[in-house]
């Protein structure tokens, strides 16, 4: 019977992403990097600070125009391209099928003009983000199951991990982590709020 008011319904989600961000988790970051990240957080406008805490994820596919996607491992699909903006990194992530089609050079064939447009859309959106932001974010172009995919996987909600499957569809992905998922985090917060 626990409910949050609509005005603060997204607050626990921001806390979840803040505790997983480079502002709180300093492992694998030097003290200088940690100081730089925290200084940037204190100096940027609120919209940029929100992107630092909870990145934006856009999904590009053949079904229609780009649309916001959940910051979750379930958003990964073999026929989609994802654009992640974490303020410090801009990541273009190609699903497995899209990457195979790109490697087969389908975009160079005239009958696959829609596929060429699909490949170009997130690249141009990422370029506009990189060109307009200061400090300029690191641009990462990666494929599913590639080594650079870690930039995306590190920021996604681990709803499907090696020891907890939450119905990832065919072609989806899992995250190899022991970190809790957003659902588990919210359930624990509800128990604490009701018990206290």
């Amino acid at each position: 019977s626990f409910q949050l008011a609509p005005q603060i319904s997204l607050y626990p989600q921001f806390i979840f992403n803040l505790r997983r961000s480079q502002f709180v988790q300093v492992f694998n970051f030097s003290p200088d990097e940690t100081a730089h990240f925290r200084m940037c957080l204190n100096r940027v406008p609120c919209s940029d600070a929100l992107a630092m805490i909870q990145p934006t994820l856009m999904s590009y596919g053949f079904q229609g125009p780009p649309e916001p996607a959940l910051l979750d491992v379930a958003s990964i699909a073999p026929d989609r391209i994802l654009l992640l903006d974490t303020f410090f990194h801009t990541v273009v992530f190609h699903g497995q099928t899209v990457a195979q089609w790109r490697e087969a050079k389908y975009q160079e064939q005239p009958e696959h003009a829609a596929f060429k447009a699909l490949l170009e859309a997130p690249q141009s959106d990422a370029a506009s983000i990189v060109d307009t932001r200061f400090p300029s974010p690191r641009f990462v172009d990666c494929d599913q199951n590639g080594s650079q995919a870690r930039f995306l996987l590190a920021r996604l909600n681990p709803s499907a991990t090696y020891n907890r499957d939450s119905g990832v569809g065919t072609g989806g992905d899992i995250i190899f982590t022991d970190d809790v998922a957003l659902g588990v985090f919210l359930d624990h917060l509800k128990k604490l709020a009701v018990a206290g």
Side-chain angles (χ1 to χ4, degrees):
S1 68
F2 179 79
Q3 287 185 332
L4 285 174
Q7 296 86 351
I8 62 166
S9 62
L10 294 178
Y11 182 70
Q13 187 175 329
F14 279 99
I15 295 300
F16 173 77
N17 285 299
L18 177 64
R19 68 177 271 284
R20 295 184 72 227
S21 71
Q22 66 270 26
F23 306 112
V24 177
Q25 296 289 335
V26 296
F27 178 75
N28 210 21
F29 293 106
S30 72
D32 292 342
E33 287 174 312
T34 301
H36 169 73
F37 292 141
R38 291 177 180 174
M39 182 199 67
C40 286
L41 179 66
N42 289 328
R43 291 180 172 226
V44 297
C46 185
S47 60
D48 290 341
L50 290 175
M52 289 180 187
I53 295 171
Q54 180 169 318
T56 58
L57 186 65
M58 297 295 292
S59 174
Y60 297 77
F62 291 111
Q63 296 81 9
E67 58 186 13
L70 290 174
L71 201 59
D72 193 283
V73 69
S75 297
I76 295 175
D79 62 341
R80 279 196 236 168
I81 301 175
L82 299 175
L83 173 63
L84 177 74
D85 179 17
T86 69
F87 188 85
F88 297 109
H89 296 93
T90 302
V91 181
V92 175
F93 177 90
H94 301 91
Q96 192 169 12
T97 304
V98 172
Q100 290 170 349
W101 290 346
R102 187 193 64 226
E103 295 300 318
K105 308 264 190 240
Y106 284 179
Q107 70 274 16
E108 296 174 3
Q109 300 172 6
E111 63 268 16
H112 296 291
F115 179 62
K116 181 178 182 181
L118 176 66
L119 286 177
E120 291 173 352
Q123 296 289 342
S124 65
D125 290 349
S128 69
I129 292 170
V130 170
D131 290 342
T132 58
R133 182 165 299 149
F134 182 80
S136 182
R138 177 178 178 184
F139 177 71
V140 179
D141 193 359
C142 61
D143 298 333
Q144 187 174 0
N145 302 322
S147 64
Q148 298 296 307
R150 68 184 186 274
F151 287 99
L152 175 78
L153 296 177
R155 297 310 298 257
L156 295 180
N157 172 32
S159 61
T161 64
Y162 68 95
N163 62 359
R164 179 181 62 248
D165 182 18
S166 66
V168 175
T170 58
D173 218 337
I174 62 169
I175 297 179
F176 294 98
T177 183
D178 290 326
D179 200 4
V180 298
L182 176 61
V184 174
F185 179 76
L186 292 177
D187 289 343
H188 188 68
L189 280 181
K190 289 175 188 176
K191 285 180 188 174
L192 288 175
V194 172

